[in-house]
Amino acid sequence: MATASIVRCTKCAKNAGTITCEGCSAKFCRRCFDNHRQDLSKELDNIVYEHDMLKQELEKPNENGTHPLLKQIDNWRKESIDKINQLADRCRTDVVKLIDDNKNQLVDRFRKITNTIRDSRSDENYDDRHLKMWITQLKELKDELIKPSNVHVEVDKQQPSWIQKIIVREGSHQQEEVNDSKL
Ligand SMILES: [Zn+2]
Ligand SMILES: [Zn+2]
């Protein structure tokens, strides 16, 4: 005669597991089953709380600039502007130095012209050709002062992606659909 084996409660492993939970298929004794229901009830409370929080978020009016995606754009803007400012500052420093160097050379050249003109004038040692030469030399100095031939500012075409453009894309959000009929 075979002894009917008693299925023990999965929770307390002491009493007989007489009630099966449909959800997790575990077998419980009455007391443990009640506890299990209480646990599920607490879990549901948590879910309802999360649900209510989300509802509040959804009902809140859009505040300007607070969305993470907008923050992302703002960050890109700031980082790009910072990059531009830093490079512009560096280039300005370089140009100021080169212009200064250039000016010092021009002052030297100008002093020589001054001396030549002064001497020629006092000695009355000049003619039309000298006048023409000095006019040319002074014009050259003036041009060089306004537009120094040793400095150029130009776009570096070697580096087209120095500041990378951002774009906004509308993509398919892969929504995981919860199929209620499965439950
Ligand atoms: Zn039990
Ligand atoms: Zn269960």
Side-chain angles (χ1 to χ4, degrees), residues 21-26 28 33 36-37 40:
C21 171
E22 289 286 328
C24 61
S25 304
F28 295 103
F33 182 73
H36 186 53
R37 291 302 310 177
L40 291 182

Side-chain angles (χ1 to χ4, degrees), residues 9 12 29 32:
C9 166
C12 63
C29 65
C32 290

Side-chain angles (χ1 to χ4, degrees), residues 9 11 18 29-30 32 53 59 61 63 67 72 74 76 80 106 114 116 122 127 142 145-147 151-152 157 179-180:
C9 166
K11 195 69 185 288
T18 50
C29 65
R30 163 60 60 191
C32 290
M53 296 300 285
E59 284 171 352
E63 285 168 54
H67 196 281
Q72 201 182 332
D74 289 346
W76 173 85
S80 300
L106 292 183
T114 309
T116 312
S122 66
D127 60 28
K142 200 176 162 189
L145 190 62
I146 295 165
K147 204 169 179 296
V151 198
H152 302 280
K157 296 199 176 77
N179 195 345
D180 283 65

Side-chain angles (χ1 to χ4, degrees), residues 136-150:
T136 308
Q137 285 179 344
L138 287 175
K139 189 185 177 305
E140 275 173 12
L141 279 185
K142 200 176 162 189
D143 288 349
E144 186 68 24
L145 190 62
I146 295 165
K147 204 169 179 296
S149 59
N150 67 332

Side-chain angles (χ1 to χ4, degrees), residues 86-148:
Q86 282 168 18
L87 183 61
D89 286 348
R90 261 206 323 271
C91 288
R92 285 183 63 91
T93 308
D94 290 349
V95 166
V96 165
K97 193 191 170 299
L98 289 169
I99 287 176
D100 275 354
D101 291 351
N102 194 53
K103 208 170 170 184
N104 288 337
Q105 287 178 21
L106 292 183
V107 168
D108 273 356
R109 275 166 62 186
F110 184 72
R111 199 176 290 130
K112 279 180 191 134
I113 298 172
T114 309
N115 291 337
T116 312
I117 293 175
R118 195 199 294 122
D119 293 350
S120 303
R121 192 177 210 174
S122 66
D123 299 347
E124 292 231 5
N125 182 21
Y126 63 92
D127 60 28
D128 313 57
R129 290 166 304 170
H130 294 94
L131 296 183
K132 205 177 166 193
M133 184 183 71
W134 293 329
I135 287 172
T136 308
Q137 285 179 344
L138 287 175
K139 189 185 177 305
E140 275 173 12
L141 279 185
K142 200 176 162 189
D143 288 349
E144 186 68 24
L145 190 62
I146 295 165
K147 204 169 179 296

Side-chain angles (χ1 to χ4, degrees), residues 163-179:
I163 287 177
Q164 282 177 318
K165 262 170 73 176
I166 53 168
I167 49 168
V168 177
R169 259 190 317 133
E170 189 185 3
S172 58
H173 25 201
Q174 289 175 326
Q175 242 177 354
E176 275 182 46
E177 297 225 2
V178 178
N179 195 345

